[in-house]
Amino acid sequence: PARPARAGERPWFLHPGVIAAQAVPLLGAVAAWLLARRRDRLAGDPRAARRLQAPRAARAALQRADEESTRGNPAAALEALQAAIRDYTANRFNLGLGEVSADLIRARFGDVEAQLGGQLADLYATCESRRYGGAGSMTAGDAGNLTRDARQLLAKLEGIRS
């Protein structure tokens, strides 16, 4: 049995922790409602869903490029780097993966930020030419530098709304 409250002592149910705990179910319900609303909005708008997916897809491919360049495999690193740029561009502008080219990157990002878009297009063209023209003269360090440059460019582009 609970002991009776002494004079001047606050009852247990008026303790700040107990009062704060009563807000937890309400906050959980609000969070669930917001998440369901976001899910429904993205389900009805595939362009927005792909735009949100763009940075995640690029980060995963850039991570693969880092791993391959660390392993000393520049050809695989270039392939992953090209995939990162291709996936980012395709998802950001709701394009098919086969539609992405250096010219398209330059044109699409030219509307948003011409200089950064041009740099990204040049990087994509470099990956493409080295990948299909032979990556024999390329070292793992070169591939790592290209990956670093791509990561910086994509981070800058993600900060720009289109």
Side-chain angles (χ1 to χ4, degrees):
R3 66 176 173 77
R6 293 185 209 150
E9 191 175 282
R10 179 182 339 177
W12 68 269
F13 54 85
L14 293 178
H15 189 275
V18 173
I19 293 173
Q22 293 177 17
V24 171
L26 177 64
L27 292 175
V30 169
W33 178 74
L34 288 173
L35 286 173
R37 197 168 156 220
R38 179 178 188 267
R39 183 194 64 224
D40 292 343
R41 180 180 59 85
L42 291 177
D45 188 2
R47 291 180 66 110
R50 285 191 73 189
R51 178 154 173 90
L52 283 176
Q53 181 185 352
R56 274 181 279 168
R59 275 193 300 269
L62 287 172
Q63 182 65 35
R64 278 195 322 274
D66 279 337
E67 291 168 1
E68 292 298 337
S69 62
T70 301
R71 287 187 193 126
N73 189 352
L78 282 174
E79 184 177 340
L81 179 57
Q82 188 178 14
I85 298 170
R86 181 193 62 224
D87 293 349
Y88 180 82
T89 305
N91 285 329
R92 180 159 175 179
F93 294 110
N94 197 30
L95 302 169
L97 293 177
E99 295 179 61
V100 177
S101 68
D103 293 334
L104 183 126
I105 292 171
R106 191 172 277 107
R108 288 295 178 121
F109 282 109
D111 297 339
V112 180
E113 179 65 46
Q115 183 183 5
L116 294 175
Q119 290 173 354
L120 190 65
D122 292 344
L123 188 59
Y124 185 82
T126 299
C127 290
E128 197 169 44
S129 66
R130 292 253 177 118
R131 189 170 160 221
Y132 296 114
S137 64
M138 181 169 228
T139 65
D142 294 338
N145 290 339
L146 287 175
T147 303
R148 185 194 68 238
D149 294 345
R151 184 173 276 118
Q152 290 170 351
L153 280 172
L154 292 176
K156 288 177 186 175
L157 284 168
E158 195 51 36
I160 299 169
R161 303 307 292 176
S162 62

